Structure formats: structure tokens, C-alpha cells
Amino acid sequence: MPVPLSVQILTVDELLPAAAEHFGSECTFRTEPLPMAPGVYVWSTDRRVLYIGSAKSLAARVGDEKGWIAGYAPDDYWEVSVVHMLTVYSATVQWIATADHEGAVLLERRLIEWHRACVGMAPLVVGWEAKEGSPRKAAEQWAQRLWIRKFGQ
């Protein structure tokens, strides 16, 4: 039987200190139009982060995901997938472009670890590859150093 559980979730704006640290300057998440450039995207509901991903082409990847969401009927499927969660919570997407795909992957890891450092867990929606075995240790250490600098703990 499910038990109600209260968890903290960062807002998209609360990811900005980590993004600014990554780029070395202030930046902001944008909405449409999505560029063909590489970057990081964040699906959220009421600006609360659900999923953080990276892409070689933001327009192509997010376009694919929007197509999957549009064709998804939650009542027809039993599994809880990324598409299921984004559909159920009527998620919207924001993004930040990066210079290359490697930078996008690094920023994705850093934003996930920043979320984990701030609230004790990664965003609620787990990625397609479930991030299992992903090389996250360097990003985790980076987020810990940023946390200590920002909050002195």
C-alpha cells in the first residue's frame, strides 16, 4: 500500500548557482524556440525539477520527447517511465545551450549532483538509462565543493 511521502525538489531557478559556476558567469534557462545546438534541458512542473537531461541537439531530443508525451495515454500503460511521469505531471521544458555535447553531459551531471547536494536526492524522474553506472563521482565532488563554498558546510 502506498504511503504518502514528502520530499524536497529544487526549482529550476535553484539550479542556476550550479549553472553559473559551470559557465563562470550568470546564465538562465530558456524556453522556446529550441536550438539545434547541444545543451541541457530540464523538465519541470510548476518550475519544480522533475528530470534533467543532455542532448547533442536540443531541438531533436526534446522534439522526440514531446512527440512521445503527445502520443502517450497513461491509463494504457502500467510502468512508470519518464514519459509517464512527464505526462502525468504536465511537465514543461527549459534549456541551456552549451558549446559541445561533452559540455552538456558534464553540466547535466553537475546539475543532478547539485540537486542531490541540496535536497539529498536526485530529481524524481530517473533517466532513460537510469543513470546506473554513469560516471557521476566527479560531478558529485564538484557539487560538494560548490555547496561548501556557497553554504560553508
Side-chain angles (χ1 to χ4, degrees):
M1 174 193 237
V3 176
L5 178 65
S6 177
V7 296
Q8 290 183 305
I9 302 171
L10 292 185
T11 64
V12 173
D13 292 337
E14 289 169 325
L15 293 176
L16 289 175
E21 179 74 15
H22 174 81
F23 286 109
S25 63
E26 296 298 316
C27 61
T28 187
F29 283 93
R30 301 187 55 194
T31 56
E32 304 290 339
L34 288 152
M36 293 303 291
V40 170
Y41 58 99
V42 176
W43 285 98
S44 65
T45 185
D46 297 326
R47 306 262 317 148
R48 297 277 176 198
V49 175
L50 292 175
Y51 177 80
I52 299 170
S54 61
K56 290 181 183 176
S57 167
L58 287 163
R61 180 62 179 178
V62 174
D64 286 348
E65 291 175 11
K66 285 181 176 183
W68 298 330
I69 290 167
Y72 183 81
D75 293 338
D76 295 340
Y77 299 94
W78 63 268
E79 75 275 1
V80 177
S81 66
V82 173
V83 174
H84 178 86
M85 297 295 283
L86 299 180
T87 303
V88 167
Y89 289 104
S90 302
T92 58
V93 68
Q94 298 87 42
W95 56 270
I96 296 176
T98 58
D100 54 36
H101 184 244
E102 292 76 22
V105 170
L106 179 59
L107 179 57
E108 172 195 21
R109 290 180 189 148
R110 287 177 167 180
L111 293 177
I112 290 169
E113 291 309 321
W114 177 245
H115 192 286
R116 188 185 319 274
C118 291
V119 301
M121 61 185 277
L124 291 176
V125 179
V126 179
W128 276 262
E129 70 286 299
K131 304 294 184 229
E132 259 183 59
S134 65
R136 60 176 277 263
K137 194 64 179 172
E140 179 182 344
Q141 292 168 342
W142 176 89
Q144 288 169 346
R145 289 191 302 271
L146 177 58
W147 176 268
I148 290 167
R149 280 203 318 273
K150 294 286 184 188
F151 302 107
Q153 297 177 351

